[in-house]
């Protein structure tokens, strides 16, 4: 075969070309082996486009019927694993279109009327991501519920709250867990916000400039569920922007990174709490591994890996944002590089959320009708740790302030008391009244009420504070918000 007689049918644009693509370039440029996972979105987008083309009289109703039939067959082939994905056909779009034409002939060739792969791929990624965002939103609810359930059982359990990882003030373990519920609630808000900008239709922008066919873009948007809260069709308003915009992917990736950062912070705490030096909690064995050499070890692999995978998700954000920075309008092949980071971000985030919801809250047992196997809390160890670090020193200062001592003087007085207590190896609450009165004459017997851990915790009865009554109010709010049984 001479150079200009190569099999031109295998390339969608071949008439102009005098030599075939080299194998290396084919592999380098093709995306089918990763973008095939968007096949459902690709078929849904094509069907909506074809339906509109026939409604507008651009293709025949018989063409649309043939395309529907062919797509049903392709769906069945892909689902059963019989579909043959071809590297030569570059991507998911050309693979499906070529098979459609094989199956239904000329109607298949009409499908691409008024469309380009540029607006097609932008539509597919958006449809695919939209459904993943919905799955992630549901998983964020599951994780929040798990945290609220454990918080609820541990409102009165006291652990040391830390600043600088130094014992600071006693807090409720329930309160501590609810801090993460706040983070994941904000993550859910961010996902819902990103979804609004994901859910807009680029199709109809064609290659870059729009199309000369009388397309009804709003009809396609409605068919694909690309509508706002008021039911208005969401359609891109500038064709150049529509085919090249990947802001939505970057925004999603940023929201996912922040969620992973929250997971990573929680992981760090779980790891610290599990260490023998703390012994605050245990996680179920199925989330840990042993050591091949040290028989006593139980390692918190899952939280450690989650902390590690956070780096990879943040890396994808950097990859995506860098991908865009040098691109002139409109579509450039660079954009094909948006998929792998996006796919891996979604996979990593979903797996991590799922595993954390179970590791923290446990698994539902249909027999006992309860969740089992979540984290186990060692309340005495937490309490003992809270007693160790003069966690109620601030309470003593506040006590003096209430007796009329200026706060700065009270602070200084308490520092002396803590120094003396630590020199004698005792906690503040263990110092006899005469000793305490040596630091300030206004100290009376009622001081022991504020020096106790629960006295300190109960005193922080401000909205958002750690007093159990406040924590219970927050739990009630979360129950309502997350649709949990009261
Ligand atoms: N596989 C391509 C992508 O992922 C589809 C769009 C290709 N368009 C083009 N003009 N080469 O971006």
């Amino acid at each position: 075969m001479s150079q200009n007689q190569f099999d031109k049918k295998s390339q969608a644009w071949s008439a102009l070309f005098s030599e075939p693509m080299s194998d290396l370039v084919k592999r380098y440029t093709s995306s089918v082996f990763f973008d095939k996972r968007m096949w459902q979105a690709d078929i849904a987008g094509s069907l909506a486009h074809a339906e509109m083309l026939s409604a507008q009289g651009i293709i025949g109703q018989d063409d649309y019927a043939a395309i529907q039939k062919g797509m049903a067959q392709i769906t069945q082939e892909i689902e059963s694993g019989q579909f043959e994905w071809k590297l030569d056909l570059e991507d998911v779009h050309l693979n499906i279109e070529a098979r459609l034409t094989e199956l239904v002939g000329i109607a298949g060739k009409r499908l691409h009327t008024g469309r380009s792969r540029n607006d097609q791929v932008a539509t597919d990624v958006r449809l695919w991501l939209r459904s993943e965002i919905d799955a992630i939103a549901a998983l964020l609810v599951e994780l929040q519920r798990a945290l609220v359930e454990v918080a609820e059982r541990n409102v009165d359990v006291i652990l040391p709250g830390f600043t600088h990882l130094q014992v600071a003030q006693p807090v409720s373990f329930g309160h501590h867990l609810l801090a993460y519920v706040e983070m994941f609630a904000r993550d859910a808000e961010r996902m819902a916000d990103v979804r609004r900008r994901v859910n807009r239709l680029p199709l109809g922008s064609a290659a870059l400039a729009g199309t000369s066919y009388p397309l009804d873009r709003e009809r396609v948007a409605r068919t694909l569920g690309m509508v706002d809260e008021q039911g208005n069709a969401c359609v891109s308003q500038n064709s150049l922007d529509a085919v090249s915009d990947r802001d939505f992917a970057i925004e999603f990736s940023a929201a996912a990174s922040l969620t992973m950062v929250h997971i990573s912070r929680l992981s760090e705490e779980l790891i610290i709490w599990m260490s023998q030096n703390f012994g605050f909690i245990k996680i179920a064995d199925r989330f840990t591994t042993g050591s091949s050499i040290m028989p006593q070890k139980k390692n918190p692999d899952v939280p450690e890996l989650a902390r590690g995978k956070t780096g990879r998700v943040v890396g994808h954000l950097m990859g995506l944002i860098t991908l865009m920075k040098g691109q002139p309008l409109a579509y450039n092949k660079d954009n094909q590089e948006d998929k792998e980071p996006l796919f891996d971000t979604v996979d990593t985030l979903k797996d991590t959320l799922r595993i954390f919801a179970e590791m923290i809250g446990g698994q539902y047992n249909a027999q006992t009708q309860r969740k089992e196997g979540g984290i186990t809390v060692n309340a005495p160890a937490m309490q003992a740790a809270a007693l160790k670090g003069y966690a109620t020193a601030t309470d003593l200062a506040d006590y003096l302030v209430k007796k009329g001592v200026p706060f700065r003087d009270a602070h200084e007085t308490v520092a002396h008391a803590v120094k003396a207590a630590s020199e004698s190896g005792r906690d503040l609450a263990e110092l006899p009244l005469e000793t305490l009165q040596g630091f300030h004459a206004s100290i009376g017997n009622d001081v022991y009420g504020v020096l106790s851990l629960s006295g300190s915790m109960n005193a922080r009865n401000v909205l958002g504070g750690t007093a159990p009554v406040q924590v219970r109010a927050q739990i009630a709010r979360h129950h309502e918000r997350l649709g949990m049984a009261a």
Side-chain angles (χ1 to χ4, degrees), residues 24 61 71 91 101 124 170 218 226 242 252 261 265 276 301 340 358 392 403 415 434 473 483:
L24 179 58
Q61 282 179 358
M71 288 302 196
D91 56 25
T101 301
D124 288 8
E218 297 198 341
M226 290 179 149
F252 167 77
V261 165
R265 294 181 70 186
Q276 285 80 356
D301 282 27
E340 285 160 295
E358 194 194 317
T392 59
K403 301 261 172 179
E434 309 82 73

Side-chain angles (χ1 to χ4, degrees), residues 51-65:
E51 190 275 335
M52 178 275 296
L53 290 179
S54 82
Q56 296 291 97
I58 301 167
I59 64 171
Q61 282 179 358
D62 51 334
D63 289 323
Y64 174 49

